[in-house]
Amino acid sequence: MRYRYCCIKGELLYHTFTLKSIIVYKGGNVMDSTKVFNNFPELITDRFYLKEISLNYRNDFIELMGDEEAMALSGTEVTDVEKQVDMYFEKVKAMYEAKKAIRWAIIDKETGEFSGEIGLYNIDFYSNNTEVGYTIKRDCWRKGIALECSRKVSEFAFQEIQMNKIIAMIDSRNRPSIKLVEKQGFHKDGVLREHYYNHKDEVYVDICVYSLLKKDNYWGK
């Protein structure tokens, strides 16, 4: 199975209010769900470290974003790979500082090799929802990397930043990513018809909208 980036990258760079701290209640205890933005939250799965994206991985991202097949259904059209990688690094940093996104580099525990990237974006602490997306290197496809890491990120979203809903917006042609979210228990909410225009292919693309609620309890399986 080809695990590709399942979501259209449409991060919001600004918001109408400044978020300083969100206090929620869980089991009678007061919690600050934005504390993860004080120190970057690195995660660990059985086979991978999810680390903060930094310039150490610049060449890895250039290789990843320069792979036309890997990026084909990502919603990102790459024309100048090095320039776009640098812009992406700046955006990742800005979105984290604005408490709107958290992106991780996927690093193989055994080899230390870069396998791809995964993250949450459009984090909404008012309505407690976020979007998930990932990109896996082509030579790492069909190894269950996206499934393993997305389960960990979903667990983080529900438990650590108290999200109620995780959204996946997927190119309707991207059957592997659709199968992946369905395997995780995501519910198909509908289709946004001709929602995205692909300039390279000169075609309007339908976007399938999937969501997973905290109460669905699939994320813990």
Side-chain angles (χ1 to χ4, degrees):
M1 179 180 291
R2 296 180 178 178
Y3 296 122
R4 300 176 178 172
Y5 182 35
C6 70
C7 299
I8 297 300
K9 295 181 179 177
E11 296 98 329
L12 297 176
L13 289 177
Y14 303 97
H15 206 284
T16 54
F17 65 90
T18 300
L19 176 65
K20 293 185 178 180
S21 181
I22 297 293
I23 304 299
V24 298
Y25 289 86
K26 181 180 180 181
N29 298 318
V30 178
M31 300 178 63
D32 181 357
S33 57
T34 67
K35 64 183 179 180
V36 299
F37 295 97
N38 296 329
N39 294 293
F40 189 86
E42 295 192 347
L43 308 179
I44 301 175
T45 73
D46 290 341
R47 295 181 293 158
F48 302 96
Y49 296 114
L50 303 187
K51 293 180 172 289
E52 184 175 9
I53 292 175
S54 70
L55 289 175
N56 293 333
Y57 305 114
R58 184 175 183 272
N59 289 337
D60 295 305
F61 273 87
I62 289 173
E63 179 184 353
L64 177 65
M65 293 181 69
D67 186 332
E68 290 188 11
E69 190 172 353
M71 301 298 293
L73 301 179
S74 70
T76 298
E77 297 175 46
V78 180
T79 55
D80 184 335
V81 63
E82 292 196 26
K83 180 179 180 180
Q84 285 178 248
V85 165
D86 290 338
M87 290 175 62
Y88 179 63
F89 276 34
E90 291 176 5
K91 178 181 253 188
V92 166
K93 184 175 184 293
M95 295 295 288
Y96 178 74
E97 291 176 348
K99 300 180 176 66
K100 294 298 296 179
I102 308 174
R103 311 291 302 185
W104 292 270
I106 303 172
I107 308 300
D108 188 288
K109 279 184 177 180
E110 291 189 0
T111 66
E113 294 294 319
F114 174 86
S115 299
E117 62 98 19
I118 190 168
L120 303 170
Y121 57 96
N122 289 342
I123 299 173
D124 181 352
F125 283 106
Y126 185 82
S127 297
N128 298 318
N129 61 64
T130 185
E131 295 180 42
V132 64
Y134 56 83
T135 315
I136 305 300
K137 285 179 59 179
R138 187 152 48 95
D139 60 5
C140 295
W141 289 353
R142 305 179 183 89
K143 296 180 180 180
I145 296 173
L147 181 61
E148 180 175 333
C149 294
S150 60
R151 281 175 169 166
K152 187 65 179 182
V153 169
S154 294
E155 178 184 327
F156 171 86
F158 287 133
Q159 294 186 326
E160 299 301 324
I161 58 173
Q162 306 303 310
M163 292 292 104
N164 179 62
K165 181 179 181 179
I166 300 172
I167 302 162
M169 299 180 68
I170 309 173
D171 186 317
S172 61
R173 301 168 297 175
N174 193 344
R175 292 303 307 167
S177 283
I178 288 173
K179 290 179 180 178
L180 185 144
V181 296
E182 289 177 344
K183 186 173 183 179
Q184 292 182 78
F186 277 70
H187 173 79
K188 186 174 183 179
D189 294 337
V191 177
L192 300 175
R193 297 186 302 155
E194 298 189 358
H195 185 69
Y196 166 72
Y197 184 71
N198 186 304
H199 290 267
K200 183 176 181 180
D201 297 338
E202 297 183 339
V203 61
Y204 286 99
V205 178
D206 292 345
I207 300 299
C208 298
V209 181
Y210 282 81
S211 68
L212 183 67
L213 301 179
K214 190 171 186 178
K215 69 180 181 181
D216 291 335
N217 202 33
Y218 285 99
W219 55 272
K221 294 184 180 180

